[in-house]
């Protein structure tokens, strides 16, 4: 199975200062076969404008692709915040450039976010908040076609004013299954986001029970992403995820060029 990191942020994202060239050096040093930059664009972020200067992003990354072409495959991607209140803006933004790969992520729901001050959780039990999160995710994957893989499926467990923030998947498995079935029907995939190992210790976002569930329902399109905002995290836990993927039965990870599977 190929070693890839298909979720990385750089100084083109509002929340990272990382130099893409240092990401590339780390990826080569860790023996990765292929990487994809996926800087942020979100259309409503109450605390911080997640804009992306796509022209300069492409200009700089294309130059790095050429410079390192003998050493590693580099793709130019995007992490777009999926939000049903900005359907036209999102489609127009994604279609304006030739991204190789697009992660669709849920960062904001009805103008409320999960980070502090975390307005999304006000007056909700954990079960209510998590159900709304998964229902909104389902609505987004049904509504949008402009993405390749859904980002960090159950990362809502990182946030919220609850003593135990962990998602109780069994309470929401009906909705999560509908998310998987929609992804599979539309030819979209799922990532394991290894930033989740910091929260969960033994797995990322989502956990491997959910990846197994996706596989059992017929899902075969999977990627691995560190979600690194600093270069030291590039490629982190990729080998751990590959072991689990092989154990489940996947043949290989998927890679993409101009939003089509290689
Ligand atoms: Zn994200
Ligand atoms: Zn990210």
């Amino acid at each position: 199975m190929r070693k890839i990191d298909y979720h990385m942020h750089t100084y083109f994202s509002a929340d990272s200062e990382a130099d893409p060239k240092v990401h590339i050096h780390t990826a080569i040093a860790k023996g990765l076969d292929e990487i994809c930059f996926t800087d942020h664009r979100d259309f409503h972020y109450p605390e911080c404008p997640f804009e992306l200067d796509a022209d300069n992003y492409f200009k700089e990354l294309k130059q790095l692709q050429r410079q390192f072409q003998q050493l590693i495959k580099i793709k130019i991607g995007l992490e777009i915040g999926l939000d049903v209140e900005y359907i036209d803006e999102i489609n127009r933004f994604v279609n304006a450039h030739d991204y190789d790969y697009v992660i669709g992520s849920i960062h904001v729901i009805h103008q409320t976010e999960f980070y502090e001050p975390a307005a999304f959780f006000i007056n909700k039990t954990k079960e209510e908040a998590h159900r709304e999160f998964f229902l909104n995710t389902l609505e987004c994957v049904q509504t949008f076609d402009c993405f390749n893989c859904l980002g960090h499926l159950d990362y809502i467990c990182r946030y919220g004013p609850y003593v135990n923030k962990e998602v109780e998947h069994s309470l929401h498995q009906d909705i999560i299954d509908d998310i998987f079935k929609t992804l599979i029907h539309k030819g979209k995939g799922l990532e394991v986001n290894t930033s989740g190992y910091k929260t969960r210790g033994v797995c990322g976002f989502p956990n491997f029970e959910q990846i197994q569930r996706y596989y059992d329902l017929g899902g075969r399109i999977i990627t691995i992403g560190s979600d690194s905002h600093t270069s030291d995290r590039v490629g982190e836990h990729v080998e751990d995820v590959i072991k689990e993927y092989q154990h489940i039965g996947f043949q290989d990870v998927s890679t993409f060029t101009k939003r089509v599977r290689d």
Side-chain angles (χ1 to χ4, degrees), residues 8-250:
M8 308 189 307
H9 299 279
T10 73
Y11 48 50
F12 285 99
S13 288
D15 60 350
S16 171
E17 289 170 8
D19 182 339
K21 196 186 258 187
V22 184
H23 276 8
I24 294 168
H25 285 304
T26 306
I28 293 168
K30 289 193 176 177
L32 300 190
D33 298 297
E34 182 165 332
I35 55 173
C36 184
F37 290 96
T38 56
D39 273 302
H40 282 294
R41 178 65 169 106
D42 279 87
F43 275 88
H44 178 89
Y45 229 86
E47 299 300 314
C48 167
F50 273 97
E51 286 170 10
L52 175 65
D53 178 357
D55 289 331
N56 279 318
Y57 180 59
F58 270 85
K59 204 168 142 195
E60 186 162 334
L61 295 185
K62 277 191 177 300
Q63 193 267 326
L64 290 170
Q65 270 179 332
R66 279 192 296 275
Q67 188 181 338
F68 289 94
Q69 62 185 344
Q70 308 294 341
L71 297 171
I72 190 165
K73 255 190 197 163
I74 299 171
K75 299 289 178 64
I76 305 175
L78 170 72
E79 181 178 14
I80 187 84
L82 298 181
D83 186 337
V84 289
E85 294 178 24
Y86 295 89
I87 296 171
D88 291 343
E89 291 89 339
I90 288 168
N91 283 318
R92 220 175 298 130
F93 186 85
V94 174
N95 290 325
H97 288 83
D98 263 342
Y99 296 99
D100 288 314
Y101 172 67
V102 176
I103 302 171
S105 296
I106 283 71
H107 294 135
V108 174
I109 295 177
H110 302 313
Q111 320 265 327
T112 61
E113 60 176 309
F114 317 133
Y115 295 94
E116 288 304 321
F120 174 71
F121 296 101
I122 292 171
N123 294 328
K124 286 174 197 155
T125 65
K126 184 175 88 169
E127 188 178 340
E128 287 167 347
H130 287 183
R131 199 158 184 87
E132 186 177 340
F133 173 77
F134 288 120
L135 279 169
N136 185 272
T137 302
L138 176 60
E139 190 185 358
C140 284
V141 298
Q142 287 169 336
T143 302
F144 289 97
D145 283 310
C146 63
F147 67 101
N148 296 110
C149 286
L150 175 65
H152 44 63
L153 170 74
D154 58 5
Y155 89 132
I156 194 74
C157 70
R158 201 193 258 169
Y159 308 105
Y162 313 115
V163 177
N164 173 9
K165 298 181 182 14
E166 186 51 82
V167 172
E168 288 182 63
H169 294 87
S170 61
L171 296 176
H172 313 291
Q173 197 65 53
D174 53 337
I175 307 167
I176 297 172
D177 281 0
D178 283 345
I179 293 169
F180 290 157
K181 287 175 194 167
T182 306
L183 291 173
I184 293 162
H185 176 72
K186 294 176 93 168
K188 312 290 186 197
L190 203 59
E191 70 167 9
V192 163
N193 186 304
T194 69
S195 72
Y197 278 79
K198 207 175 160 205
T199 308
R200 291 178 157 154
V202 294
C203 60
F205 304 133
N207 67 27
F208 293 108
E209 287 76 38
Q210 292 304 313
I211 295 292
Q212 178 76 59
R213 184 85 189 147
Y214 168 72
Y215 182 88
D216 292 342
L217 289 168
R220 294 294 182 272
I221 302 172
I222 37 141
T223 63
I224 307 168
S226 64
D227 210 346
S228 44
H229 289 67
T230 52
S231 295
D232 56 311
R233 288 205 55 254
V234 169
E236 197 173 72
H237 293 296
V238 165
E239 283 166 2
D240 297 323
V241 176
I242 285 176
K243 263 185 222 142
E244 298 289 340
Y245 277 169
Q246 285 171 329
H247 182 71
I248 289 169
F250 290 104

